[in-house]
Every structure is written in structure tokens, then in C-alpha cells.
Amino acid sequence: KVTIRINGKNFLADSEETILQVARNNNIEIDTLCFVKDCMGTQECNVCRVEDLNNNSLIRACATKAYEGLNINTNSKLVQMGKKKVITDLLNNHNLKCYTCKRVSNCEFLELVKKTEAKLHKRKDFSREEYQEDLRSKSISLDRSKCLRCGRCVSACREKSGTEIIKFNDISGEIFVGPENLKCFDSTNCLLCGQCVAACPVGALTEKSHLEKVVDALNNNEKHVIVAMAPSVRTALGEIFKLEMGTDVTGKIYSAMREIGFKKVFDVNFAADITILEEGTELIERIKAGGPFPMFTSCCPGWVRYVENYVPEAIPHLSSAKSPQQIFGAASKSYYPFLENINPEDVFTVSVMPCVAKKFESERPEMENNNIRNIDAVLTTRELGELIKKYGIKFENLNDSEVDPMMGTYTGAGTIFGVTGGVMEAALRSVKDILENNSLENVDYKIVRGFEGLKEATVTIDGNNYNVAVISGGKTISKFFSENMIKNKNYHFVEFMACPGGCINGGGQPYVTPMEKENKDYKNLRGEVLYSQDKNSNLRKSHKNQAVLDMYENFVNKEEHLHHHLFHTTYTNR
Ligand code: HC0
Ligand code: SF4
Ligand code: SF4
């Protein structure tokens, strides 16, 4: 242990710790742009420099280790001047257009501009083609004229998706982030998970916006616009409105959606229960036939892109069931018009997702039935926040309201889909009941909960043992395949999610600030909301969802193969 002085006070520190860590441990804020827990940028942004009072020089807090006698000030005149210079340089290279920028309310750079009172001296010429906003991808937009070259996206791509698609590219002497040769994300092996978007401190990397499409549809009297949110939206949207992390805002979201003017407010959790019936039936068939094993889940579009792009030989292992988003979409253009006696072509279906890859999924050519798209627009959790603000709704003050039940009722099994292990747990509950012809009391599979990248368990169903695994995070997925871990064991069923921790940590969720990443167990806080909804629900098994059973009885089962036509899909070997 060593003693260092920060702003006139002594602190005990490990000699392995950096000044920045010691400061953060003691709740002293030091500004940085590139330093973030678990997606560390270049460590060269120079914003975190503090004054070494022993020789009146500036040193980088993120790169200097604590040593005995170190005496620093984090906010001296020298520090302030140095920071202002760094921010001014960045400002001169930044296409400042806050009035149209999605990040204006939470831009880390803009905060520093205000704080240092840096002024723009000479606006850079952004006419180079590379600076035109890149809107080619169906999921991710990139405006390189706002990029600070902090490297947080490069690191998030490497550490979270494990793909290293985003790089620093030197093009005629200037550095540009993006895929090699600045290709469109969609035509590379990118998973489109959006972990890079979540890591960006400014409005350079963002989701491809569908807000305008949604507002246009809402303003079009000929359209019957309906909406449904994914499991993990309800546990995070409150953060945008400054509610505590881990606040369940399900009822407020339903109210907000009605105020906005959606004709019906449904829930993707309803479709998650359908997924379990379809995927569970597939698993049961495989169990009865003795294989082929393992079966892989197919609801995460980032994971599906992983299989298609990196391990196409594994395509036959993917369940053919569509994701809950797409099952919801298919039902919204068939069962719903049947119930309401309206023309399917007049229905405009909006889903709200914690995910940017879901935008790509909704536009896959397979995702239509009878030439009608399953889903018309996909908003991220952040975009729903924007929409609520646009309509002038005071979200924090809203009362709770109920979902429209015919395609909104859901079980606890449906809601835990949003967190890693949830799809597995939901499937086991139903498959075990059905195969054992029983209604089991104990439905908690705690062994598949938690945030480790790889979780494994052996489950006994009807006297036989089955090996299951749950994998989240692209990096763990690629380790699983590159180390051929699939050969380690005779796996029967494996759940995969591209984002570490599952959708609660998706690339479309509200931004988590670097300080919050340091001090809050945000994945756990968000996940707990879903587990407690499940625990408090009186229905915790998908096959007991009466609204779903009604749909099968009154509509889907009336026509042979209709369930297959609507709720299953195919994959592409590129
Ligand atoms: Fe998920 Fe989903 S749980 S992928 O993580 O399966 O996005 O929340 O909506 O579709 O239900 C995301 C979350 C979903 C789907 C569901 C699944
Ligand atoms: Fe303004 Fe930040 Fe957007 Fe730049 S990235 S235009 S500073 S809000
Ligand atoms: Fe999207 Fe969820 Fe998959 Fe992440 S884990 S890519 S949020 S579906």
C-alpha cells in the first residue's frame, strides 16, 4: 500500500492502481473521454490529465500508477487550461450540429465543451466523402464527422462482440473508424449487436432511426398502428426519465403508448410464450427422435448473424422458430386482423426493442407472409424515450395501465427472455411439464441465471439427463466455436445471445455513463426487474398462457401447417 495525496487529502492505494482508479474509488471525478470500464479506448484522449504538484506538470491519470509521495490536484489552473486546450482541438475537428444530434441530452463531449468553455476557432472542412453520414446499414448509422477517435467502439467491438469489425482505418493520411475499407456494416461479418453504439460518447455511432416512419404512420389515418415492447424495455426505459436503475415501468410504458395514439398496446412477451411453444415442440420432437442435437436457440439476430457468417455448418442446429419479435409481427398481420375484421395490409406494426440488430432482422427478406412484412418499424428503447418526449408526455408522472390482453397477456416465462438464461429456463419449464405429463411446482432453474458468459447444467427430464448450456456475449460465443467446445460434451440444447448478459444489456438500451458503469451493477439491477415480475406472476409457464392457447384454438390450428407458415423461418448460407 502507498499513500497518495489528491486535492490536499491523503488516500491509501495499491501501487498497482492508477490515479484514476484511486480517485474513482474515493468518489472523486476525473473527466475522461476514452477511459471506460470494460470498453477501454485508446487511453490517449488526454482529457484525464491532472497536475503532479511535485514538479508542476500534467500527467495522465488513467496511465499513471500510484506511488508513495505522489501529490496531485485534479482541478488546478494548469489542469483547467490543459483540458480546455484538448477540448478546443477536438472541437475544431468536430462537426458541431447539436440541434439535430440524437445525443444532445447526454453527450459526454458536449458536457466537457460546456465545462471548459472551449470555443470553436476554425471549423474543419468536412466535405470529404468519408464524412458524409453513412446510412447504408439497416441497423447502425455512422457520422464520422462527429467521431472523436477515442477508440471506445473499437474496444467494445473487440471485447464484447469478439469480432474486431470496427477498426481505425488510415485513408490518405486521415484516421476513420469503421469496418475495413469503410464497408457497410451489413455486408461485413458484423453481428450488428450495437455494443459499439452503446460505447460511443457522442452522436457518431447511433441506431438507424425509424422514428420518422413511426410518426408518419401515426399521422396517417388509413393506417392502423399497433405497438409491442420487448421484455427488457420495461426494465430500462425509466432511466431515460431519471428514475432509479432497476425500476419496473411496464404500466407507465403502456400508458405512454396509448397517449401517443397507438390503436392497440400489445406485448412481445406474449409472442415469447408462443416461441416457447414452437421451439419447445421442436425440442420435444428431437428428444423423441433421439436428435439431431444440440438444438440452438434462434431468437437473437446478432447470434443468427454469427452462425450465418462464421459457422454456417451449424445452421441445421438452429431452431427454425422465428424470434418473438417476428412471431409477434406475423400474428399481428394474420390473427389480429382476423379478430378485428380488418385488412392485414392496413395494419402497421411497431416493435420496441433493446436491440439494433432487430432492425436488420425485421428487414430480412424471409420475414414476411403473403407478401406482407411481419414488422414495419423497430424502435430502440432510446427511440421510444425520444418519441415520448416528442409527444410532450411527462413519463415520470404517468399512472400505470394494463396491456390489451388479446395479444398482450404474458407469463413469467415470457418476461425472463430478456436476460441471459431466460429462454432456456422458460423452455425447460414447459418441456419438462409436457414430457412428464405433470404440472411441476418448482419452476426456478437458478443454475442458468447469472452473468457469466458460459453457464452449464444437466437437467433430468422424464428420467433422462440432458446437457444444456447458456452463452452470452459475442466474445464467449466465438471462444466456444474457435476452441471447439461443442465437442466437450454431448450438448442437447444451447441458448445464445450476442450481448453480454442478454438483451437487458442490448445495444439499443439507454446509455450508461462511465461513472455508472463504475459504480452500479446495472445488468443485475435491470435483470432483477424481470426475475421479480416472473416471481410475482401467477402464471409462470408459457404453455399456460390462455391468450396464446386461444389463438391456437380459434385461429392457428384451424388450418394445417399455418403455425409453420407463420412462425418458422429459414437461414442463409452466405
Ligand atoms: Fe430480446 Fe427477444 S428477449 S431477443 O433478448 O427471444 O431484443 O428484451 O424482444 O424477439 O421476447 C431483444 C429482449 C426480445 C425477441 C423476446 C427473444
Ligand atoms: Fe453536439 Fe455531442 Fe452531437 Fe457533437 S456529438 S453534435 S457535441 S451533441
Ligand atoms: Fe439484440 Fe438481445 Fe441479441 Fe443483443 S442479445 S443482439 S440485444 S437480441
Side-chain angles (χ1 to χ4, degrees):
K1 291 268 179 195
V2 295
T3 304
I4 69 168
R5 248 175 124 65
I6 307 180
N7 301 344
K9 278 196 200 136
N10 286 345
F11 296 97
L12 219 48
D14 280 332
S15 56
E16 276 311 295
E17 284 178 305
T18 62
I19 299 172
L20 188 69
Q21 279 162 340
V22 180
R24 284 188 176 172
N25 294 345
N26 292 290
N27 234 339
I28 299 170
E29 209 170 338
I30 295 180
D31 297 321
T32 75
L33 275 171
C34 66
F35 189 101
V36 188
K37 194 178 170 189
D38 71 26
C39 53
M40 182 85 75
T42 54
Q43 284 188 271
E44 284 174 8
C45 75
N46 276 333
V47 174
C48 72
R49 288 183 307 174
V50 293
E51 181 172 354
D52 178 349
L53 294 173
N54 293 330
N55 49 30
N56 301 101
S57 63
L58 290 175
I59 53 175
R60 264 192 267 149
C62 74
T64 312
K65 297 220 163 117
Y67 57 86
E68 189 62 37
L70 180 65
N71 184 7
I72 60 155
N73 188 305
T74 63
N75 206 21
S76 65
K77 188 157 182 228
L78 191 66
V79 172
Q80 291 178 21
M81 277 163 40
K83 202 182 295 179
K84 185 166 181 174
K85 167 141 194 347
V86 171
I87 300 299
T88 305
D89 285 347
L90 287 169
L91 199 51
N92 289 336
N93 287 290
H94 184 86
N95 194 1
L96 199 74
K97 40 181 178 180
C98 308
Y99 58 101
T100 55
C101 186
K102 283 188 197 166
R103 290 298 296 269
V104 67
S105 62
N106 55 18
C107 174
E108 293 178 36
F109 179 56
L110 189 57
E111 273 312 299
L112 288 167
V113 173
K114 289 193 236 165
K115 187 165 174 179
T116 58
E117 298 184 18
K119 301 270 177 310
L120 180 69
H121 288 294
K122 187 167 172 290
R123 196 184 181 82
K124 185 184 159 107
D125 174 12
F126 290 107
S127 57
R128 260 184 88 150
E129 195 195 332
E130 289 85 350
Y131 287 119
Q132 300 308 305
E133 192 172 7
D134 185 347
L135 295 166
R136 289 170 296 172
S137 163
K138 297 189 167 79
S139 288
I140 299 173
S141 302
L142 174 50
D143 184 346
R144 295 188 183 86
S145 72
K146 292 184 190 162
C147 170
L148 304 174
R149 298 167 174 87
C150 66
R152 277 159 55 168
C153 57
V154 176
S155 146
C157 183
R158 183 180 59 238
E159 298 304 322
K160 299 195 177 176
S161 89
T163 63
E164 302 191 44
I165 293 291
I166 301 194
K167 300 184 169 73
F168 285 114
N169 302 281
D170 186 332
I171 300 176
S172 329
E174 263 195 85
I175 302 293
F176 294 100
V177 301
E180 212 151 60
N181 300 323
L182 306 190
K183 279 209 204 113
C184 167
F185 288 96
D186 302 3
S187 57
T188 69
N189 285 345
C190 168
L191 309 183
L192 303 175
C193 65
Q195 290 297 321
C196 54
V197 174
C200 180
V202 294
L205 275 159
T206 53
E207 63 272 87
K208 175 72 160 281
S209 176
H210 285 188
L211 268 177
E212 209 177 301
K213 266 201 247 186
V214 172
V215 173
D216 285 351
L218 285 164
N219 289 335
N220 179 344
N221 290 334
E222 322 234 294
K223 287 283 169 203
H224 190 103
V225 190
I226 64 173
V227 67
M229 68 165 147
S232 49
V233 174
R234 70 206 70 216
T235 171
L237 184 79
E239 294 165 24
I240 293 180
F241 298 94
K242 307 279 176 276
L243 297 171
E244 270 299 301
M245 250 181 191
T247 306
D248 183 343
V249 289
T250 310
K252 281 191 176 10
I253 297 178
Y254 295 151
S255 302
M257 287 168 162
R258 285 207 179 81
E259 279 203 26
I260 288 168
F262 290 102
K263 284 253 170 37
K264 282 284 189 298
V265 175
F266 292 136
D267 206 310
V268 172
N269 289 4
F270 164 84
D273 282 329
I274 304 174
T275 299
I276 289 303
L277 297 198
E278 295 295 330
E279 195 168 292
T281 308
E282 193 178 337
L283 184 61
I284 288 169
E285 279 164 10
R286 291 191 194 212
I287 286 175
K288 286 187 176 152
F293 292 120
M295 186 170 101
F296 294 158
T297 58
S298 58
C299 42
C300 165
W303 151 245
V304 168
R305 273 184 66 96
Y306 185 88
V307 177
E308 292 180 327
N309 292 340
Y310 295 90
V311 286
E313 63 281 7
I315 289 177
H317 292 281
L318 283 173
S319 160
S320 66
K322 282 183 185 170
S323 72
Q325 165 172 277
Q326 296 306 135
I327 286 189
F328 180 82
S332 76
K333 304 291 178 81
S334 55
Y335 177 52
Y336 178 63
F338 158 80
L339 288 173
E340 294 283 288
N341 199 14
I342 52 179
N343 184 348
E345 297 197 12
D346 294 337
V347 179
F348 187 97
T349 305
V350 180
S351 68
V352 186
M353 293 279 140
C355 176
V356 304
K358 287 278 172 199
K359 294 185 185 249
F360 176 87
E361 178 183 68
S362 76
E363 293 194 44
R364 291 178 62 115
E366 318 69 272
M367 294 303 177
E368 60 177 40
N369 295 99
N370 310 327
N371 294 322
I372 301 175
R373 283 272 105 200
N374 293 160
I375 293 282
D376 299 292
V378 180
L379 299 179
T380 60
T381 309
R382 293 188 293 266
E383 286 178 297
L384 176 62
E386 283 306 303
L387 190 69
I388 291 171
K389 290 181 191 167
K390 212 188 249 301
Y391 279 75
I393 295 166
K394 293 270 166 286
F395 186 81
E396 333 57 292
N397 302 338
L398 288 173
N399 291 323
D400 288 353
S401 70
E402 297 291 322
V403 74
D404 287 315
M406 63 174 101
M407 282 178 54
T409 302
Y410 64 87
T411 71
T415 208
I416 58 173
F417 262 60
V419 57
T420 166
V423 181
M424 177 62 68
E425 185 164 347
L428 291 175
R429 289 179 188 175
S430 287
V431 168
K432 201 165 153 76
D433 258 22
I434 293 168
L435 280 175
E436 296 182 357
N437 197 11
N438 203 339
S439 185
L440 294 157
E441 289 283 324
N442 183 9
V443 296
D444 287 335
Y445 291 83
K446 295 221 163 101
I447 191 150
V448 293
R449 298 188 189 179
F451 292 101
E452 307 87 68
L454 169 66
K455 294 166 279 183
E456 294 187 282
T458 301
V459 193
T460 310
I461 301 176
D462 199 20
N464 297 312
N465 284 342
Y466 296 93
N467 296 324
V468 302
V470 172
I471 300 177
S472 83
K475 200 173 182 181
T476 315
I477 296 177
S478 64
K479 185 169 151 85
F480 187 78
F481 286 98
S482 65
E483 295 181 9
N484 209 4
M485 288 159 80
I486 195 153
K487 292 273 176 297
N488 291 354
K489 222 182 240 175
N490 186 13
Y491 290 105
H492 295 92
F493 187 33
V494 190
E495 176 201 299
F496 293 91
M497 290 282 170
C499 294
C503 296
I504 43 119
N505 187 33
Q509 290 284 59
Y511 289 105
V512 181
T513 66
M515 265 322 240
E516 286 172 326
K517 281 195 179 143
E518 207 75 50
N519 301 328
K520 289 192 174 156
D521 193 358
Y522 72 96
K523 287 185 229 165
N524 204 24
L525 288 167
R526 288 174 178 174
E528 269 313 308
V529 170
L530 303 183
Y531 284 123
S532 86
Q533 271 203 359
D534 170 42
K535 198 163 142 222
N536 296 325
S537 160
N538 48 20
L539 276 182
R540 301 183 63 192
K541 296 169 182 169
S542 299
H543 62 287
K544 300 275 161 100
N545 183 333
Q546 195 54 47
V548 168
L549 298 175
D550 288 346
M551 178 194 75
Y552 278 94
E553 187 180 324
N554 301 329
F555 182 72
V556 179
N557 291 346
K558 296 273 186 214
E559 201 181 301
E560 212 189 352
H561 305 308
L562 185 59
H563 81 107
H564 203 269
H565 172 68
L566 290 175
F567 302 150
H568 290 255
T569 186
T570 53
Y571 305 98
T572 321
N573 192 339
R574 287 165 217 266

